[in-house]
Amino acid sequence: MPVVLRSSPLLWARVAAMVFACVAFSVALYGAGLTHGTGDWCIFCWSFSFVGTLLIILVEMFGLQTRAPVSWKNFPITFACYASLLCLSASIIFPLYFLKGYAGRNEMINCRIVSTVFSCLATIAYLSEVSLSKARPGEVAGYMATAPGLLKVCENFVACIIFVFISEPITYDQNAATKWCLAVYCICFILSAGIIVMCVGECTGCLPFSFARFLSTYALLAVGLYLSATIIWPIYKFDNKHGGQSHRPNSCGSSMGLCPWDKLLAISVLSALNFILYLADLIYSARLVFVTV
């Protein structure tokens, strides 16, 4: 089996991302002194990104793209987008939980600083890969290489973060309005994940209706749903008249990471962010013409 390794900016971006992610989790495991589940999440982000990128490089090196059970027009850029978001989340979470409030300089702190720096570098490298892989104007490409496809990944990832914040502690069972917000997050997450799976698995042609029309209809539905959640959630969580708490508790200043009130605020911000992403998705979907390959 011939081995083909052609030097290109895309290849070097992948190699750099893989090396940076490898250094981040190796140093963290070596001497960062991780003590709770948040550290395990960061390790997963870096190791998952490393293994996936290594797999993609090996498949292209041995020319196995046609034998892969996924669409190779869609899979590498989808993975790169997810990896960039995973490393970005680790770059924010890791120093928040493992550097905030720690004074002095010893081997453990130095290892944590190194992991944070290389996590940021991995994020930049993966974003570079996405930029190099995305479809250019007039180019025939897979759906996931277009702006709406990349937006689907971002929407999906933001929803995952919302689920983490909304479930620890559980904050959606206050009343019917907040349960409606949870339903919005779940419905949009499931549909977006289904679209991504269909594109990567080349199943879009199996639908009994036009995939392009379905995308536009779904984007319009998601905009309406997220608009309602963006308005309802802060009303019932921060308005005193509806049982909310408008001021940040003093205890939040001394807690490690995010306190419950901070998580409620983060959900409000992320809901607004996803509303903007779905609105952009709707605008792009309405004008996008693509060829499914």
Side-chain angles (χ1 to χ4, degrees):
M1 181 180 297
V3 177
V4 180
L5 188 62
R6 297 175 182 174
S7 178
S8 66
L10 180 59
L11 173 63
W12 288 115
R14 286 173 177 165
V15 171
M18 183 178 67
V19 171
F20 293 149
C22 181
V23 173
F25 77 77
S26 298
V27 172
L29 289 173
Y30 168 73
L34 308 182
T35 55
H36 51 80
T38 306
D40 295 336
W41 165 253
C42 295
I43 294 296
F44 166 77
C45 292
W46 299 323
S47 58
F48 177 79
S49 302
F50 167 77
V51 172
T53 305
L54 177 61
L55 177 64
I56 289 172
I57 292 175
L58 291 176
V59 168
E60 296 197 345
M61 181 187 299
F62 290 99
L64 301 174
Q65 297 94 319
T66 57
R67 299 184 182 182
V70 295
S71 167
W72 209 252
K73 292 287 185 181
N74 290 302
F75 176 73
I77 190 170
T78 302
F79 179 84
C81 193
Y82 271 118
S84 65
L85 294 171
L86 287 171
C87 289
L88 176 61
S89 70
S91 300
I92 297 172
I93 294 172
F94 193 78
L96 190 62
Y97 280 85
F98 296 102
L99 287 177
K100 178 184 175 183
Y102 287 90
R105 294 291 295 274
N106 52 41
E107 183 181 14
M108 182 181 72
I109 298 300
N110 290 337
C111 287
R112 292 178 178 182
I113 293 174
V114 171
S115 291
T116 301
V117 170
F118 276 91
S119 180
C120 294
L121 292 174
T123 302
I124 295 172
Y126 278 117
L127 289 174
S128 300
E129 180 183 347
V130 172
S131 178
L132 291 169
S133 303
K134 70 178 183 179
R136 301 296 186 270
E139 180 183 358
V140 176
Y143 175 75
M144 296 307 299
T146 64
L150 296 175
L151 285 171
K152 290 289 187 304
V153 175
C154 295
E155 294 156 4
N156 208 240
F157 189 81
V158 171
C160 289
I161 300 176
I162 291 176
F163 291 143
V164 172
F165 288 155
I166 206 172
S167 60
E168 188 184 348
I170 295 176
T171 54
Y172 57 80
D173 58 350
Q174 175 183 348
N175 49 48
T178 52
K179 290 178 181 178
W180 163 256
C181 293
L182 177 65
V184 169
Y185 304 142
C186 292
I187 292 170
C188 294
F189 171 79
I190 292 171
L191 290 175
S192 291
I195 291 172
I196 295 172
V197 170
M198 284 192 294
C199 290
V200 173
E202 295 186 304
C203 302
T204 57
C206 300
L207 295 175
F209 43 78
S210 169
F211 185 60
R213 183 172 298 178
F214 167 70
L215 292 173
S216 299
T217 304
Y218 164 61
L220 179 60
L221 173 66
V223 166
L225 291 174
Y226 258 95
L227 177 60
S228 68
T230 302
I231 296 172
I232 292 173
W233 184 266
I235 289 177
Y236 282 88
K237 291 300 179 180
F238 302 110
D239 189 348
N240 295 326
K241 296 179 181 179
H242 295 86
Q245 187 174 4
S246 58
H247 298 289
R248 188 173 188 256
N250 294 329
S251 58
C252 286
S254 58
S255 62
M256 183 178 64
L258 298 177
C259 69
W261 193 91
D262 290 337
K263 292 181 179 180
L264 295 178
L265 180 61
I267 293 170
S268 297
V269 173
L270 293 172
S271 298
L273 174 60
N274 243 3
F275 167 70
I276 295 172
L277 291 175
Y278 275 110
L279 184 60
D281 191 351
L282 175 61
I283 295 172
Y284 274 110
S285 297
R287 52 189 287 199
L288 178 68
V289 176
F290 65 92
V291 177
T292 303
V293 292

